[in-house]
Amino acid sequence: MESTLASSSRLIEYPADLSGCSSVGVGNRQLLYLCSHGNGKPFVVVLGFFSGQKEDVIAKDLIEPIAEDDRNQIGEIVANTLSDEHAHAQIFYL
């Protein structure tokens, strides 16, 4: 029998080094995203909501991806927190 969490969402395992990520609070959750650095067209990658840590062979952060239905709303939240350099950046989701 599957647990409720496993059936409703999948978690992304990310090596426990989120130091390059930016974050914004959404309710009581932490939304993680990365901004491009360089001379090309700016872009942002939304990783998802931080969901804790898992100890395996190495420590891994667990990230809950953004559901399709929530992407427009989350995109607006992230866009409102970006610097002028990324104000019109294209936003991608994992």
Side-chain angles (χ1 to χ4, degrees):
M1 181 180 240
E2 292 182 45
S3 72
T4 304
L5 179 61
S7 63
S8 64
S9 70
R10 73 182 159 83
L11 297 177
I12 299 167
E13 295 181 9
Y14 190 85
D17 181 14
L18 298 173
S19 60
C21 293
S22 298
S23 66
V24 62
V26 178
N28 62 351
R29 303 177 79 189
Q30 183 181 20
L31 179 68
L32 304 172
Y33 63 94
L34 296 166
C35 294
S36 63
H37 298 286
N39 297 329
K41 181 172 170 59
F43 64 91
V44 175
V45 177
V46 175
L47 301 176
F49 290 107
F50 180 76
S51 294
Q53 263 193 344
K54 171 184 174 180
E55 196 67 37
D56 202 342
V57 176
I58 61 170
K60 298 175 187 171
D61 290 317
L62 300 174
I63 300 171
E64 179 184 339
I66 304 302
E68 287 282 334
D69 297 343
D70 297 331
R71 290 185 177 185
N72 286 335
Q73 180 184 8
I74 294 297
E76 290 176 20
I77 292 169
V78 170
N80 289 332
T81 66
L82 298 174
S83 66
D84 290 343
E85 177 185 356
H86 290 88
H88 300 290
Q90 187 168 3
I91 298 177
F92 299 98
Y93 300 87
L94 287 184

